[in-house]
Every structure is written in structure tokens, then in C-alpha cells.
Amino acid sequence: MNGVEGFMYPNEVGLQWSVLIVLYPFITGLVAGAFILASLERVFRVEAVKPTYRLALLTALSFLLVAPLPLQLHLGHPERSPEMYFTPHSTSAMAMFGYVYLWYLMAVLVLEIWLDYRRDIVMLYQSSKGLLRLVYGIMTLGSTNISERALAIDDKVGWIVTLIGIPSAFMLHGYVGFIFGSIKANPWWSSPLMPVVFIFSAMVSGIAGVMLLYMAATRLRGQKIDVHCVDTIAMYLFYIFIIDFSLEMLDLIHRIYEADESFRSLNFLVHTQLYIPHIVIQICLGTLTPIILLGITQVVKLNEIVRKRMYVVAGCLTLVGIFAMRWNVVIGGQLFSKSFLGYTTYKMTLVTREGLLVAVFLTLLPLVFLWVFVKLLPPWPEKAAEAAAAGD
Amino acid sequence: MSVFKDAGHLFRFAGLFVLAFLIFLVVRHYVVPKSFGQYGHYRGAAMGEIAAHPVKFSGHDACEACHSDVAEKKNAGKHAHVNCEACHGALARRLPAPAEPAPDMLQKLVALAIPRPVADPPVVRHADDPSSVVPERPDTAVLCARCHAASAAKPKGFPQVVIAEHSNGLPCETCHQPHSPAIDAGGAK
């Protein structure tokens, strides 16, 4: 049989979860990571990252809106998905997650963005005309009160919402790891470390993603990149990446030391089919290289241009590495037989419902949403300053 | 009082949530079937609906009553324990639905928005009315491959072949009699 080596049970030959299920944790990871970066400024008062605060929130929202689409496409029958909300089963982690998603979208992200932008929204409502005025008018919810006291209340409530948002972001992404980690029949997935590894890798990808978006957008707008800001983001990225890598290595070492009945089979897989995606792309290219690059920027005094270039390279490699991690978990976990006596292969299709083109489209779609949000609610610090000045 | 005045917009936002929740409850009331949860986490009325489905499979006895010559041949060969309906399909079939004029675009849209139940055509058994429901002659190139295509997951003793190499595109019945497939048991029919 094509692509099958040794013994496979009949239901293992074709993979059930495709590239779209790889994309799903990658996208939710970016959401959670972007939100954690935003919380650095809001809750932990890291003022240096302020220029990315609003961009991080809009990025999180854009990616969160796209997050369910890979699942909808994979499962089919999107018209049935509301049934998960209407008749949830209390023992289903996936059903409960539907509520976590909705909570995170509406009670955390939308509310926080609305509170943070309310002053701008009112100013834009008063200065715009036509359809835009109507849009901003709806966004004000009919309240144009931007008195000092009202804004102070917004600030306090926003702080509380962000504080609640941090565990929510952890739940949002920890859930994906929880689902994989609880599949006891699959030794590649079944590990209590899985949710923790997913959360930290989410933070890494989200922080790298927002850093790259901030640098690219600032460059495109012809503005000067705030080097102190990207230095600080890179520093946090470096530290969190080290924790993430340590956890992944802890998991790996534990598997090697434990060497249970699945070890020989998994070891063979890592040295053959998964060698390029796991060892070369995920660990060497996507983890060690960015950690070394970021580490160099932390210990060696480099000039601004070199640092920025290193951040761009490290950021891109980080995203590649985290995507490879999702790939290796989702696809890698389906390549071996539960009999540990055979292996199958995954051949990605191109123009099908779960093919490469759809995956590329879904990866780019959040950037389109982000573009619309940025046009509607400019996140740039100087715009906020202008709005503040106009309000005073 | 000024706190309430300055926090008025928050009450509006909260009001939106309450409104959305109320809409959710109303929609849920209409969307969730009344019998949901009657016996478990599913629609209770589904049990009765499934039980009311006409039985389509009849077992090999119903076939053998008329086709005793085929049964004799089959029972002497390797396929003795393969039920007739496993290859020929269920003994009872639905009669084809009466032809209706093709719906125009408007009718299609209305049907999408307001699906209406369509009465199923009646089920008739081949054994009761052999002329109205005739089992299709299976395509052996597809049918035999379902069980006999080589797979590492099948027991070693089970007869299996790599189809492309084995038959070179010829239908299996060119050499094998499906009711008693061993070539020395009868060969080509």
C-alpha cells in the first residue's frame, strides 16, 4: 500500500487530522501570545512595550476571529456548530472550550479594545462623515462621555479585564495542549506537560509575531522603529523561549529516560520521517538558532541596525519553529501505528477543502482583518497622542 | 450619582451582553428539540423515528427460498459465510421517488430557508415483488477489492492481492466465480 511501511491498523493508514488542525493551534497560539504581550504593558506596567500594546490587541482579535475557521472546514457542516452552545455536554472538553472561546472573544478582547479605544472612537465619530460616522456611532454604543472621570473608570475596568484575560489566554491555548495531552492512546501526545508546553510556545509565537508586525508596519508607514521597545520585546521573547525550550527538552529527556513500550517506534520516527521537520526545522532552525541570535543581542553590544536585523531573522525563524512544533505534534502523532509496528505518510493535497491553498488563505486572512481593524482603529502611538491632544 | 453617570457606557456594554444572552435563550428554546435529554444527551424522539424505519435486510434465508441453485454453489465454497446481501445489497429498496419538475431558483432558496419534510417513497422487498426491485449486478472489479486488496493490516492467511498486478484491469469474474471463487472449484463461469 502506498506510503505504508510495516503493520498499520486500517483506520490508521489515512490521517484523520490534516494541516488545518496544525494551523488551528498555531493561530490560537498567536492570539494568546499577542494578548500576553499586551498584558505586559497593561498589568505589569512594562512601559517600553507600550507602542505595541494596541497593535497586540488588534492582532489577537484578528487571529481569534479566524481561529475557528480551520476547525469548521475540517469538520464540515458549519451550520451545526451552534449546537455546541445550545446543547453542550459537560464532559466534553471541546464543548466547554466553545464557551471559553466566546468568553475570551467578547468579555476579554472586544471589551478591552473597546475600553482602550473609547476616547478615540468618540473623537473619530465626531470628526468623520457618512458610513464611517455610522460605524463609529455604533461603536460608541450611543455614549460620547469621555470626561476625565469616565476615562479613569475605563482605565480601571480595563486593568481588571486584562488581569482576567491572562488566565483566559492561558485557558484558550492550554486547552489545545489539554486535548492532545489527554489522548492516552497516543504516546506521542499523552503527557501532562503538553498544555504547559503549548502555553509557553504560544507566548513565544505571539510575541515574535507582534514584534515582526510592529517592525514591518512601522517601516511601511515610514516611521522610526522604537528600538527600546523592540529591545524589550526581544528580551522577553528570549527569556520565555528559554523556558519553552527547557520544557520541551524536559519532555524529550523524560521520554528517553522512561523509554516505555512506544519509545523504539517513536525514536525510529524521529530519526526518519520526522528528522527534517522535528530535528532540523523545529529544534535547530526554529528554536536553537533564534535563541542563539536573541542571546547574542542580550550579551554583545551591537549597533541598532544589526540588532533589528537579528530580531527580524530570529522572529521569522521562531514562527517557522513554532509552526513546525504544531506540525510535528499533530501530524507526527498520526504517522505511527498504535501497534508500534508500522508507519504511514501524510501527503498534503493542494486544492481541496483541507489542502495547502486553504491553509495559506487562512494564514493570510487574519492579516486582512488586521488591516481593516488598523484602518478603523489606528493603533499607532502618535495617533493616540493626536487624539488625546484633540480631546484636551 | 456621578459614578453611575460616568460609568453609563459600561452599563450599555453590559446591557448588550444581557440582550445577547436573552436572544440566545430565546433561540435555544426554539432550536433545541423538546425531547432532547429525555433519556440522555440526545433527542429522545429519535428512538421512535429510528424504530419506525422499515427493515431492509432480510437475511440469506429469504434469498435462498428462490435461488437455491446459487445457495448450493455458495455453501460449497469459500464464500459460504458471506451473506448474500453483503454483495448484492439489501433485499428491500425504496422505490424511486416520482419525478417532479425541477425547482426554479426562488423555490430552491425557499426550500433552503424553510426545509419541509419530504415523504419517503415506499420500501419494497425483492422477495415480495421481484420485478419492481431488481438488485444491481455488482462490479466485481470494485466489489472483490473491498475485501481482497492487499493491506498490511489484514491477517497473513487471508487471500489478498495487489489488484493492479494481479488482474491487469480485468474484472475478477473473468477467472473467479464470485459465489465459489477458488479457480479449481469451477473457474471461469
Side-chain angles (χ1 to χ4, degrees), chain A residues 6-8 86 141 149 154, chain B residues 3 6 9 12 28 41 152-153:
Chain A
F7 180 88
M8 293 295 286
F86 291 134
L141 297 183
R149 186 154 173 76
D154 286 354
Chain B
V3 173
D6 287 326
H9 56 283
R12 286 169 192 247
R28 189 181 184 279
H41 198 77

Side-chain angles (χ1 to χ4, degrees), chain A residues 1 6-10 85-89 99 106-107 110-111 114-115 118 141-143 145 147 149-150 153-154 157, chain B residues 2-10 12-14 16-17 24 27-29 31-33 36 41 149-154:
Chain A
M1 190 171 286
F7 180 88
M8 293 295 286
Y9 292 116
Y85 291 106
F86 291 134
T87 53
H89 202 299
Y99 290 101
M106 295 310 298
V110 171
L111 179 57
W114 186 70
L115 288 172
R118 221 174 57 76
L141 297 183
S143 166
N145 181 1
S147 64
R149 186 154 173 76
I153 292 172
D154 286 354
V157 175
Chain B
S2 74
V3 173
F4 287 108
K5 191 183 154 210
D6 287 326
H9 56 283
L10 294 177
R12 286 169 192 247
F13 198 94
L16 265 187
F17 267 77
F24 171 81
V27 174
R28 189 181 184 279
H29 175 76
V31 168
V32 176
F36 188 88
H41 198 77
S151 163
K154 288 174 187 163

Side-chain angles (χ1 to χ4, degrees), chain A residues 184-229:
Chain A
K184 53 180 171 270
N186 190 321
W188 187 249
W189 292 338
S190 177
S191 159
L193 263 181
M194 201 59 111
V196 189
V197 169
F198 263 72
I199 287 166
F200 275 90
S201 59
M203 287 199 255
V204 169
S205 66
I207 292 173
V210 174
M211 180 180 80
L212 288 174
L213 279 171
Y214 168 71
M215 292 175 87
T218 313
R219 187 80 184 262
L220 285 173
R221 291 167 52 243
Q223 301 285 324
K224 197 174 177 315
I225 293 170
D226 184 336
V227 181
H228 182 47
C229 169

